[in-house]
Amino acid sequence: LPASRAQVEGPNGHFYQVIMEPSLTWPQAHARAAAADFNGVRGHLATITSQEEDAFIESLRQQAAPGGYGALWIGGSQIGTAVASSPTQGWQWVNGEGAIPMNGQEGYANWQAGEPNDYNGPGSENYLSTGHFNQFGWNDEGYSGQVFGFVVEFPTSGVASTVAVVAADPIA
């Protein structure tokens, strides 16, 4: 079984879990994250929309990875016709939060220097990882085997909601 950390509450009230499982492709990690359950809530590969959330996930990555090295899949991919046309176009978050910006554009982005770059040629790296070469930041990745696990995000406060039932005495 893959090495797994307990679910930990993040700065946005969501819960996160790092699962170290080398050799998984992004689609496999995406499916496993979507099948994960925490307090009745389904997970998804983590999406990162703030510096605070990014720093939190980076701290989890460093704790989970031996020696700090261990890039992890997160919830972004390059979709549509942009895949082959440009390494910087068509990036989307898996949970419907919208487009993933490039550094310097509106919204939060933390691409490592020179990324995304389709290192192995056009359309070769269409999935998002974090912590490549033990560096804080994001990288476009293909199936090179340099990703060692994934981060699941559970969009919940982790507290089960309760419903109070109050009976009124009809005779009183």
Side-chain angles (χ1 to χ4, degrees):
L1 289 175
S4 175
R5 297 276 183 183
Q7 295 87 355
V8 180
E9 187 171 11
N12 57 1
H14 295 183
F15 278 70
Y16 297 83
Q17 182 176 27
V18 171
I19 299 174
M20 299 303 288
E21 190 170 357
S23 304
L24 277 186
T25 65
W26 186 92
Q28 290 169 326
H30 179 260
R32 290 189 189 193
D37 178 277
F38 176 60
N39 289 345
V41 175
R42 289 285 181 194
H44 58 78
L45 285 175
T47 58
I48 302 173
T49 56
S50 73
Q51 194 284 327
E52 186 179 32
E53 183 181 20
D54 203 7
F56 176 78
I57 289 172
E58 174 64 7
S59 72
L60 295 179
R61 184 192 71 77
Q62 289 180 7
Q63 291 170 35
Y69 186 83
L72 301 172
W73 292 121
I74 54 176
S77 67
Q78 195 178 27
I79 60 170
T81 57
V83 169
S85 63
S86 169
T88 62
Q89 301 295 311
W91 287 93
Q92 296 285 320
W93 292 118
V94 294
N95 65 345
E97 285 185 25
I100 300 171
M102 295 298 108
N103 291 346
Q105 293 179 341
E106 185 177 331
Y108 181 76
N110 187 20
W111 293 94
Q112 292 179 355
E115 301 296 342
N117 64 2
D118 276 347
Y119 183 77
N120 294 310
S124 64
E125 297 184 320
N126 310 118
Y127 303 106
L128 194 57
S129 70
T130 188
H132 191 65
F133 293 128
N134 197 29
Q135 295 176 3
F136 181 45
W138 309 341
N139 178 49
D140 61 331
E141 190 65 66
Y143 297 118
S144 67
Q146 296 194 23
V147 181
F148 298 92
F150 58 100
V151 184
V152 183
E153 180 175 353
F154 299 95
T156 177
S157 65
V159 177
S161 58
T162 58
V163 176
V165 178
V166 178
D169 185 349
I171 298 175

